[in-house]
Amino acid sequence: MGVSEITARIDAAARKAGRDPAEITLIAVSKVQHLDRVEAVLAEGHRVYGENRVQEAQGKWPAFREKYSGIDLHLIGPLQSNKTRPAVELFDAIHTVDRAKLARRLADHAQERGQSPDIFVQVNTGDETQKAGCALSEVDALVTECRALDLPLKGLMCIPPIDEEPSLHFALLAKLAARNGLDGLSMGMSGDFESAIAQGATHIRVGSAIFGDRVKPA
């Protein structure tokens, strides 16, 4: 579809929900995409991108940042504790903080660097054993921990189960965020972002609808 069509759909969904489209950030998910596809979207002027893996992002984005100004890079995949230092150095936001140990390591590196990425706590709203994210019962404690560590906590993130109605999970995440005084809601992907916007999403993650099917670079 391209960025312009997705943006038009975001605008329409926001206005239908009585929201300002400017409240919603489109994260173009560039993981496992050919560099020429990513550069084509950069050339269109879009600047907010999402990556799943620190190592892949390290091989892709420093060169793009030399060529294009204003890139805002978000980590949207699980973060291993041994990758926290490069993550802090490379990303502008991390959406997948799901345990206190990880938060503490990020805080340590951010303090050393004197700067921290924006932080989102990932919540496993479907209680799926195979999926990252903190348990529903642990959300409040992890939010408290992030704040105690002086991390710039912006909101919550979720990825609903593929076989359940996503709007129910989006509504749940919004409720959890409100309870904790958080405004940021990272939720909604290519197939359900309009539903997420209706439930208050501030960051949506769209990949295949912009870039096409993922193809590992040769």
Side-chain angles (χ1 to χ4, degrees):
M1 293 183 187
V3 170
S4 59
E5 186 170 340
I6 296 297
T7 300
R9 288 174 58 185
I10 291 169
D11 290 354
R15 296 185 193 286
K16 183 177 179 181
R19 300 182 59 200
D20 181 353
E23 299 172 352
I24 301 158
T25 298
L26 169 60
I27 301 172
V29 179
S30 48
K31 65 178 182 180
V32 198
Q33 291 288 351
H34 283 300
L35 297 183
D36 57 353
R37 291 184 181 180
V38 179
E39 185 151 22
V41 178
L42 278 162
E44 288 182 45
H46 192 72
R47 290 294 180 267
V48 188
Y49 293 84
E51 290 285 341
N52 262 40
R53 297 174 63 247
V54 174
Q55 187 172 354
E56 182 184 348
Q58 285 177 307
K60 181 187 301 181
W61 287 100
F64 279 147
R65 277 181 160 152
E66 288 185 7
K67 188 173 181 179
Y68 297 96
S69 63
I71 289 172
D72 189 24
L73 193 59
H74 296 238
L75 179 65
I76 58 172
L79 177 59
Q80 297 174 332
S81 295
N82 64 353
K83 297 289 186 181
T84 50
R85 186 184 297 277
V88 166
E89 294 172 350
L90 183 61
F91 290 96
D92 300 288
I94 296 173
H95 291 236
T96 51
V97 177
D98 61 0
R99 57 199 185 277
K101 178 183 176 182
L102 181 59
R104 288 192 289 269
R105 290 188 69 115
L106 289 168
D108 288 345
H109 296 316
Q111 188 172 27
E112 290 173 9
R113 192 166 183 258
Q115 185 176 346
S116 175
D118 289 341
I119 298 296
F120 289 77
V121 164
Q122 182 175 358
V123 183
N124 187 347
T125 56
D127 194 27
E128 298 175 275
T129 56
Q130 80 282 10
K131 189 174 286 183
C134 72
L136 291 171
S137 61
E138 299 171 355
V139 174
D140 296 354
L142 185 51
V143 166
T144 298
E145 178 79 7
C146 289
R147 285 174 167 154
L149 292 166
D150 203 26
L151 288 168
L153 183 63
K154 299 301 181 182
L156 305 180
M157 181 270 235
C158 76
I159 304 172
I162 59 173
D163 57 351
E164 295 185 18
E165 171 54 49
S167 63
L168 299 176
H169 293 268
F170 299 151
L172 174 58
L173 196 73
K175 181 178 179 181
L176 292 169
R179 186 171 79 196
N180 283 281
L182 293 168
D183 297 323
L185 289 168
S186 174
M187 58 189 195
M189 297 184 285
S190 292
D192 56 23
F193 69 82
E194 283 140 327
S195 174
I197 289 170
Q199 297 292 340
T202 59
H203 296 71
I204 62 169
R205 310 179 300 271
V206 179
S208 57
I210 293 174
F211 296 105
D213 293 336
R214 295 172 197 148
V215 181
K216 289 189 177 182

